[in-house]
Amino acid sequence: MSVQTTEAIVLRSTNFAESSKIVTFYSPQFGKIKGIAKGARSAKNKFGSSLEIFSHVILVFYQKKTDIQLISQCDLKNPFLNIRNDLIRTAYASYFIELINKTTEGGAQDSEQIFSLILNALTALETANVESEVLAHFFEVRLLKILGCIPVFDRCVNCGAKITEGKFSCRLGGILNNECWGADESAFQVSLGTILTIQHLQTSDFSNLSRLKLNKLSSKELKLVLESYIKYTLVKNLKSLEFLEKITQMKVPL
Ligand SMILES: [Zn+2]
């Protein structure tokens, strides 16, 4: 059993036994870490509010060979208070966290990239310097890319030819050009503008996101393409996505 120290983001926190909590973290070095925080709900709780979801923390734990590690100390680095105090931002952050929690495992494969994606996304939500909708699509595209399951958007997935417009096929994992529409009857129409936006999101820096504006058509199509594909390949049921939908639809137009 060795003592490890790492920065981490809290993905999930549930009550356990009389006074403890089971907490799932994501870290750059170890990927997902699940641990028990003994006494985290007792009067003498040494963890404070560091175990709440979205928190950016410095975690100290005893690494054991079992699935559950023993959390020794957890210090708050950033509580992301602006996210917590805003229902819409909380809904977006919950979606990011749930996606990471459901698509990753322990172990260090790509964990640095995934950690930096989630930390950058939460920081952008906290400071609100990027439109949340743009940020969400950036997050989805980059996560798909890191996990190695990004669909083909720069050519026809069936024949490899260049595309000017097309239909998106979840089953084939990419865009079909006019000649190949028949290859998947469930494929749906996507405009060239949306295809180019997704290509841009695959390579663009965080710092350029604030300049990206989506028109109504792209906004609708991006949501349809990315959500259908994520549900098709990665996670069928995303509770946070239903919540996000409800919250954003309730939003009163300014
Ligand atoms: Zn084709």
Side-chain angles (χ1 to χ4, degrees):
M1 202 161 70
S2 57
V3 180
Q4 302 286 0
T5 303
T6 179
E7 59 175 322
I9 301 280
V10 179
L11 298 183
R12 207 175 133 80
S13 191
T14 48
N15 291 344
F16 180 73
E18 248 173 54
S19 63
S20 301
K21 275 184 174 181
I22 299 280
V23 188
T24 309
F25 301 87
Y26 200 87
S27 69
Q29 201 184 337
F30 306 94
K32 207 192 256 181
I33 301 165
K34 205 171 187 182
I36 180 163
K38 289 187 176 165
R41 283 151 56 226
S42 67
K44 281 189 207 159
N45 166 25
K46 64 174 176 179
F47 297 103
S49 61
S50 67
L51 302 176
E52 286 179 28
I53 63 158
F54 323 139
S55 296
H56 182 198
V57 298
I58 301 291
L59 169 70
V60 182
F61 66 101
Y62 292 100
Q63 194 173 28
K64 299 194 288 180
K65 283 185 181 145
T66 54
D67 286 347
I68 307 269
Q69 315 302 324
L70 180 63
I71 301 167
S72 153
Q73 201 182 322
C74 192
D75 293 318
L76 204 50
K77 225 179 153 198
N78 191 343
F80 293 120
L81 288 179
N82 293 338
I83 296 179
R84 272 176 227 287
N85 293 332
D86 182 302
L87 199 55
I88 292 176
R89 288 194 233 181
T90 298
Y92 275 103
S94 308
Y95 175 49
F96 299 162
I97 295 279
E98 191 185 6
L99 262 185
I100 296 286
N101 194 27
K102 288 198 169 157
T103 58
T104 61
E105 293 300 329
Q109 203 194 355
D110 303 318
S111 54
E112 266 179 46
Q113 272 178 289
I114 292 173
F115 179 79
S116 121
L117 178 67
I118 182 74
L119 181 60
N120 280 333
L122 291 175
T123 308
L125 265 185
E126 174 77 4
T127 52
N129 57 359
V130 179
E131 237 177 86
S132 306
E133 192 192 351
V134 171
L135 181 66
H137 295 319
F138 175 87
F139 187 87
E140 293 163 330
V141 166
R142 295 307 259 266
L143 184 63
L144 285 167
K145 204 175 160 190
I146 298 170
L147 297 175
C149 47
I150 186 84
V152 177
F153 288 106
D154 59 348
R155 58 186 189 279
C156 172
V157 67
N158 195 48
C159 71
K162 230 183 142 192
I163 31 174
T164 47
E165 61 173 334
K167 286 191 174 184
F168 181 74
S169 161
C170 284
R171 188 166 60 78
L172 299 171
I175 300 286
L176 292 166
N177 66 358
N178 294 358
E179 286 72 36
C180 299
W181 279 8
D184 178 3
E185 279 178 8
S186 62
F188 51 86
Q189 185 87 40
V190 180
S191 65
L192 184 62
T194 300
I195 296 171
L196 293 175
T197 304
I198 296 180
Q199 287 183 22
H200 174 69
L201 290 174
Q202 287 188 53
T203 53
S204 122
D205 278 342
F206 245 105
S207 52
N208 294 329
L209 285 186
S210 56
R211 276 182 260 149
L212 185 61
K213 300 274 177 265
L214 301 177
N215 61 31
K216 263 197 172 162
L217 180 66
S218 270
S219 167
K220 198 176 130 199
E221 289 182 344
L222 274 169
K223 192 168 149 57
L224 188 62
V225 168
L226 294 167
E227 283 177 15
S228 335
Y229 191 68
I230 284 170
K231 283 182 186 164
Y232 186 84
T233 53
L234 292 175
V235 200
K236 275 204 179 74
N237 295 311
L238 284 158
K239 274 188 206 153
S240 58
L241 196 57
E242 286 165 30
F243 177 60
L244 179 63
E245 217 120 288
K246 268 184 209 155
I247 293 294
T248 44
Q249 276 166 13
M250 270 163 55
K251 196 167 96 178
V252 184
L254 297 170

